[in-house]
Amino acid sequence: PIRVMSSDGIHHDLEDFLGPLKKLVLVLSDRNCSTCIDQLLFTLKNEIPELNRNRLLVLFSTQPPADEQWRHRKKILTGTEFLEIPDRALGLPMDSLDIPYFFIAGKEQIAGMAFTPYPSLDVQTRDYLKLIKRKYLQ
C-alpha cells in the first residue's frame, strides 16, 4: 500500500482517502516550479466550487523547511485534503517528468483520465477541469 501523511501528522494508507466516488487527484512536488504550483491551485479554486472540493485530493512531496509554504497552499483550496506522499511513490509514468499532473481515481486505485498541465496552456487546463467536473464531480 502507498502510505501518506495527513495534515495532523498521522500516516495512513492512500486507499483510506479514496472512497466510492471518484476523486480528482493532483500530484505536486517541491521539484515543480513554485509559481506553477500556486497557479494550478488557484485555477482549481476558480474551476471547482467549494462544495465539491471534498472530491479533490492533493498529493505532495516536500523537503523541509517547506512546511510553511504548504500550509499557505492548503489555505488556497479550503475543503480539499492535502496529503504528503514520498517522492515518486505512485510509480506512475508521469512521475519521471517532474511536473504536476492530474488523474481520476476511486476505491479501485486505478488512475484514469490523466492530464499534465502546462502553465502556458492554461485554457486547456481549465477545459480539462470543466470536463472532469461535469463527468465526475457533480
Side-chain angles (χ1 to χ4, degrees):
I2 298 170
R3 300 290 287 172
V4 297
M5 186 169 60
S6 59
S7 299
D8 55 11
I10 298 174
H11 287 84
H12 305 268
D13 289 339
L14 176 58
E15 70 181 287
D16 295 342
F17 295 90
L18 298 172
L21 299 174
K22 301 282 188 193
K23 288 193 176 187
L24 177 61
V25 180
L26 172 59
V27 181
L28 302 169
S29 166
D30 280 347
R31 291 186 326 277
N32 306 146
C33 150
S34 183
T35 304
C36 302
I37 291 172
D38 293 342
Q39 179 183 345
L40 272 174
L41 294 176
F42 279 108
T43 300
L44 273 169
K45 179 180 181 172
N46 293 332
E47 294 297 329
I48 307 296
E50 190 167 354
L51 97 106
N52 289 342
R53 289 196 201 136
N54 63 333
R55 302 281 302 281
L56 301 176
L57 190 59
V58 176
L59 304 178
F60 69 97
S61 57
T62 186
Q63 298 295 322
D67 293 340
E68 182 61 36
Q69 187 173 32
W70 285 102
R71 270 194 295 279
H72 169 73
R73 288 175 173 157
K74 291 173 188 179
K75 292 176 185 175
I76 296 170
L77 276 179
T78 55
T80 299
E81 189 75 49
F82 279 69
L83 302 171
E84 188 173 342
I85 188 168
D87 195 35
R88 300 180 181 175
L90 297 177
L92 294 171
M94 289 81 68
D95 285 339
S96 64
L97 299 175
D98 284 337
I99 55 177
Y101 63 91
F102 290 99
F103 63 89
I104 288 289
K107 199 66 168 169
E108 69 283 351
Q109 297 185 42
I110 296 173
M113 300 284 296
F115 177 78
T116 305
Y118 290 92
S120 61
L121 302 174
D122 191 50
V123 171
Q124 284 85 345
T125 301
R126 287 195 314 270
D127 288 346
Y128 169 80
L129 293 173
K130 286 175 184 164
L131 171 71
I132 293 301
K133 181 173 66 174
R134 189 173 61 249
K135 192 168 182 177
Y136 296 104
L137 306 181
Q138 297 288 339

Coordinates of all heavy atoms in Angstrom, one line a residue, residues 86-128:
P86 N 5.6 10.2 -0.2 CA 7.0 10.1 -0.5 C 7.2 10.4 -2.0 O 6.3 10.1 -2.8 CB 7.4 8.7 -0.2 CG 6.4 8.2 0.8 CD 5.1 9.0 0.4
D87 N 8.3 11.0 -2.4 CA 8.6 11.4 -3.7 C 8.5 10.2 -4.7 O 9.1 9.2 -4.4 CB 10.0 12.0 -3.8 CG 10.3 12.8 -5.1 OD1 9.3 13.4 -5.6 OD2 11.4 12.8 -5.6
R88 N 7.7 10.4 -5.7 CA 7.5 9.4 -6.8 C 7.0 8.1 -6.3 O 7.2 7.0 -6.9 CB 8.8 9.2 -7.6 CG 9.3 10.4 -8.2 CD 10.6 10.2 -9.0 NE 11.0 11.5 -9.5 CZ 12.2 11.7 -10.2 NH1 13.0 10.7 -10.3 NH2 12.5 12.8 -10.7
A89 N 6.2 8.1 -5.2 CA 5.7 6.9 -4.6 C 4.6 6.2 -5.4 O 4.4 5.0 -5.2 CB 5.2 7.2 -3.2
L90 N 4.0 7.0 -6.3 CA 2.9 6.4 -7.0 C 3.4 5.4 -8.1 O 2.7 4.5 -8.5 CB 2.0 7.4 -7.6 CG 1.3 8.4 -6.6 CD1 0.5 9.4 -7.4 CD2 0.3 7.5 -5.7
G91 N 4.6 5.6 -8.6 CA 5.2 4.8 -9.6 C 4.5 4.9 -11.0 O 4.5 4.0 -11.8
L92 N 3.9 6.1 -11.2 CA 3.2 6.3 -12.5 C 4.2 6.9 -13.5 O 5.1 7.6 -13.1 CB 2.0 7.3 -12.3 CG 0.9 6.7 -11.5 CD1 -0.2 7.8 -11.2 CD2 0.2 5.5 -12.2
P93 N 4.0 6.7 -14.8 CA 5.0 7.2 -15.7 C 5.2 8.7 -15.7 O 6.2 9.2 -15.9 CB 4.4 6.8 -17.1 CG 3.5 5.6 -16.8 CD 3.0 5.8 -15.4
M94 N 4.1 9.4 -15.3 CA 4.2 10.9 -15.2 C 5.2 11.4 -14.1 O 5.7 12.5 -14.2 CB 2.8 11.5 -14.9 CG 1.9 11.4 -16.1 SD 1.0 9.9 -16.2 CE 0.0 9.8 -14.8
D95 N 5.5 10.5 -13.1 CA 6.4 10.9 -12.1 C 7.8 11.2 -12.7 O 8.5 12.1 -12.2 CB 6.6 9.8 -11.1 CG 5.4 9.6 -10.1 OD1 4.7 10.6 -10.0 OD2 5.3 8.5 -9.5
S96 N 8.2 10.6 -13.7 CA 9.5 10.8 -14.3 C 9.6 12.2 -15.0 O 10.7 12.6 -15.3 CB 9.8 9.7 -15.3 OG 8.9 9.7 -16.4
L97 N 8.5 12.8 -15.3 CA 8.5 14.1 -16.0 C 8.9 15.3 -15.0 O 9.2 16.3 -15.5 CB 7.2 14.4 -16.6 CG 6.7 13.4 -17.7 CD1 5.3 13.7 -18.1 CD2 7.7 13.4 -18.8
D98 N 8.7 15.0 -13.7 CA 9.0 16.1 -12.7 C 8.1 17.3 -12.9 O 8.6 18.5 -12.8 CB 10.5 16.5 -12.7 CG 11.3 15.4 -11.9 OD1 10.7 14.7 -11.1 OD2 12.5 15.4 -12.2
I99 N 6.9 17.1 -13.3 CA 5.9 18.2 -13.4 C 4.6 17.8 -12.8 O 4.4 16.6 -12.6 CB 5.7 18.6 -14.9 CG1 5.3 17.4 -15.8 CG2 6.9 19.3 -15.5 CD1 5.0 17.8 -17.2
P100 N 3.8 18.7 -12.4 CA 2.5 18.4 -11.8 C 1.6 17.6 -12.8 O 1.8 17.7 -14.0 CB 1.8 19.7 -11.5 CG 2.9 20.7 -11.5 CD 4.0 20.2 -12.5
Y101 N 0.7 16.7 -12.2 CA -0.2 16.1 -13.1 C -1.5 15.7 -12.3 O -1.5 15.7 -11.1 CB 0.4 14.8 -13.8 CG 0.8 13.7 -12.8 CD1 0.0 12.7 -12.4 CD2 2.1 13.7 -12.3 CE1 0.4 11.7 -11.6 CE2 2.5 12.7 -11.5 CZ 1.7 11.7 -11.1 OH 2.1 10.7 -10.3
F102 N -2.6 15.5 -13.1 CA -3.9 15.2 -12.5 C -4.2 13.8 -13.0 O -3.8 13.3 -14.0 CB -5.0 16.1 -13.1 CG -5.0 17.5 -12.7 CD1 -4.4 18.5 -13.5 CD2 -5.6 17.9 -11.5 CE1 -4.5 19.8 -13.1 CE2 -5.6 19.2 -11.1 CZ -5.1 20.2 -11.9
F103 N -5.1 13.1 -12.2 CA -5.8 11.9 -12.7 C -7.0 11.7 -11.8 O -7.2 12.3 -10.8 CB -4.9 10.7 -12.7 CG -4.3 10.3 -11.3 CD1 -5.0 9.4 -10.5 CD2 -3.1 10.8 -10.9 CE1 -4.6 9.0 -9.3 CE2 -2.6 10.4 -9.6 CZ -3.3 9.5 -8.8
I104 N -7.9 10.9 -12.3 CA -9.1 10.5 -11.6 C -8.9 9.1 -11.0 O -8.3 8.2 -11.6 CB -10.3 10.4 -12.6 CG1 -10.8 11.8 -13.0 CG2 -11.5 9.6 -11.9 CD1 -11.4 12.6 -11.9
A105 N -9.3 8.9 -9.7 CA -9.1 7.6 -9.0 C -10.3 7.4 -8.1 O -10.9 8.3 -7.6 CB -7.8 7.6 -8.3
G106 N -10.5 6.2 -7.8 CA -11.5 5.7 -6.8 C -11.0 4.6 -6.0 O -9.8 4.4 -5.9
K107 N -11.9 3.9 -5.4 CA -11.5 2.9 -4.4 C -10.7 1.8 -5.1 O -9.8 1.2 -4.4 CB -12.8 2.2 -3.8 CG -12.6 1.5 -2.6 CD -12.2 2.4 -1.5 CE -12.2 1.8 -0.1 NZ -11.6 2.5 0.9
E108 N -10.9 1.6 -6.4 CA -10.1 0.5 -7.1 C -8.6 0.9 -7.3 O -7.8 0.1 -7.8 CB -10.8 0.1 -8.4 CG -10.7 1.2 -9.5 CD -11.7 2.4 -9.3 OE1 -12.6 2.3 -8.4 OE2 -11.6 3.3 -10.0
Q109 N -8.3 2.2 -7.0 CA -6.9 2.7 -7.1 C -6.4 2.6 -8.5 O -5.2 2.3 -8.7 CB -6.0 2.0 -6.1 CG -6.4 2.2 -4.7 CD -5.4 1.6 -3.7 OE1 -4.2 1.7 -3.9 NE2 -5.9 1.0 -2.7
I110 N -7.2 2.8 -9.5 CA -6.7 2.9 -10.9 C -6.7 4.3 -11.3 O -7.7 5.0 -11.1 CB -7.7 2.0 -11.8 CG1 -7.6 0.5 -11.4 CG2 -7.3 2.2 -13.3 CD1 -8.6 -0.3 -12.1
A111 N -5.6 4.8 -11.9 CA -5.5 6.1 -12.3 C -6.0 6.2 -13.8 O -5.6 5.5 -14.6 CB -4.1 6.6 -12.3
G112 N -7.0 7.1 -14.0 CA -7.5 7.3 -15.3 C -7.6 8.8 -15.6 O -7.5 9.7 -14.8
M113 N -7.9 9.1 -16.9 CA -8.1 10.5 -17.3 C -6.9 11.4 -16.9 O -7.1 12.5 -16.5 CB -9.4 11.1 -16.8 CG -10.7 10.3 -17.2 SD -11.1 10.6 -18.9 CE -11.5 12.4 -18.9
A114 N -5.7 10.9 -17.1 CA -4.5 11.7 -16.7 C -4.4 12.9 -17.6 O -4.7 12.9 -18.7 CB -3.3 10.8 -16.7
F115 N -3.8 13.9 -16.9 CA -3.6 15.2 -17.6 C -2.4 15.9 -17.0 O -2.3 16.0 -15.8 CB -4.8 16.1 -17.5 CG -4.7 17.4 -18.2 CD1 -4.8 17.6 -19.6 CD2 -4.4 18.6 -17.4 CE1 -4.6 18.8 -20.2 CE2 -4.3 19.8 -18.0 CZ -4.4 19.9 -19.4
T116 N -1.5 16.4 -17.9 CA -0.4 17.1 -17.4 C -0.5 18.6 -17.8 O -0.5 18.9 -19.0 CB 0.9 16.5 -18.0 OG1 1.0 15.1 -17.7 CG2 2.2 17.2 -17.5
P117 N -0.7 19.5 -16.9 CA -0.9 20.9 -17.3 C 0.4 21.6 -17.5 O 1.4 21.2 -17.0 CB -1.6 21.5 -16.0 CG -1.1 20.6 -14.9 CD -0.9 19.2 -15.5
Y118 N 0.3 22.5 -18.5 CA 1.5 23.4 -18.7 C 1.0 24.8 -18.5 O 0.0 25.2 -18.9 CB 1.9 23.2 -20.2 CG 2.6 21.8 -20.4 CD1 1.8 20.8 -20.9 CD2 3.9 21.6 -20.2 CE1 2.4 19.5 -21.1 CE2 4.5 20.4 -20.3 CZ 3.7 19.3 -20.8 OH 4.3 18.1 -21.0
P119 N 1.9 25.6 -17.8 CA 1.5 26.9 -17.4 C 1.1 27.8 -18.6 O 0.1 28.6 -18.5 CB 2.7 27.5 -16.8 CG 3.5 26.3 -16.3 CD 3.2 25.2 -17.3
S120 N 1.7 27.6 -19.8 CA 1.4 28.5 -20.9 C 0.1 28.0 -21.6 O -0.4 28.7 -22.5 CB 2.6 28.5 -21.9 OG 2.8 27.2 -22.4
L121 N -0.4 26.9 -21.2 CA -1.7 26.3 -21.8 C -2.8 26.3 -20.8 O -3.5 25.3 -20.7 CB -1.4 24.9 -22.4 CG -0.3 24.8 -23.5 CD1 0.0 23.4 -23.8 CD2 -0.6 25.7 -24.7
D122 N -3.0 27.4 -20.2 CA -4.0 27.5 -19.1 C -5.4 27.2 -19.6 O -6.2 26.6 -18.8 CB -3.9 28.9 -18.4 CG -4.7 29.0 -17.2 OD1 -4.6 28.1 -16.3 OD2 -5.5 29.9 -17.0
V123 N -5.7 27.5 -20.8 CA -7.1 27.3 -21.3 C -7.3 25.8 -21.4 O -8.4 25.3 -21.0 CB -7.2 27.9 -22.7 CG1 -8.5 27.5 -23.4 CG2 -7.2 29.4 -22.6
Q124 N -6.3 25.0 -21.8 CA -6.5 23.5 -21.8 C -6.7 23.0 -20.4 O -7.5 22.0 -20.3 CB -5.3 22.9 -22.5 CG -5.3 23.0 -24.0 CD -4.7 24.3 -24.5 OE1 -4.5 25.3 -23.8 NE2 -4.4 24.4 -25.8
T125 N -6.0 23.5 -19.5 CA -6.2 23.0 -18.1 C -7.6 23.3 -17.6 O -8.2 22.5 -17.0 CB -5.1 23.7 -17.2 OG1 -3.8 23.4 -17.6 CG2 -5.3 23.2 -15.7
R126 N -8.1 24.5 -17.9 CA -9.4 24.9 -17.4 C -10.5 24.0 -18.2 O -11.4 23.5 -17.6 CB -9.7 26.4 -17.7 CG -9.0 27.2 -16.7 CD -9.5 28.7 -16.7 NE -9.7 29.3 -18.0 CZ -8.8 30.0 -18.6 NH1 -7.6 30.1 -18.1 NH2 -9.1 30.5 -19.8
D127 N -10.2 23.7 -19.5 CA -11.1 22.8 -20.2 C -11.1 21.4 -19.6 O -12.2 20.8 -19.5 CB -10.8 22.8 -21.7 CG -11.1 24.0 -22.4 OD1 -11.9 24.9 -21.9 OD2 -10.6 24.2 -23.6
Y128 N -10.0 20.9 -19.2 CA -9.9 19.6 -18.6 C -10.6 19.6 -17.3 O -11.4 18.7 -17.0 CB -8.4 19.3 -18.3 CG -8.2 18.0 -17.5 CD1 -8.3 16.8 -18.0 CD2 -7.9 18.2 -16.1 CE1 -8.1 15.6 -17.2 CE2 -7.7 17.1 -15.3 CZ -7.8 15.8 -15.8 OH -7.6 14.7 -15.0

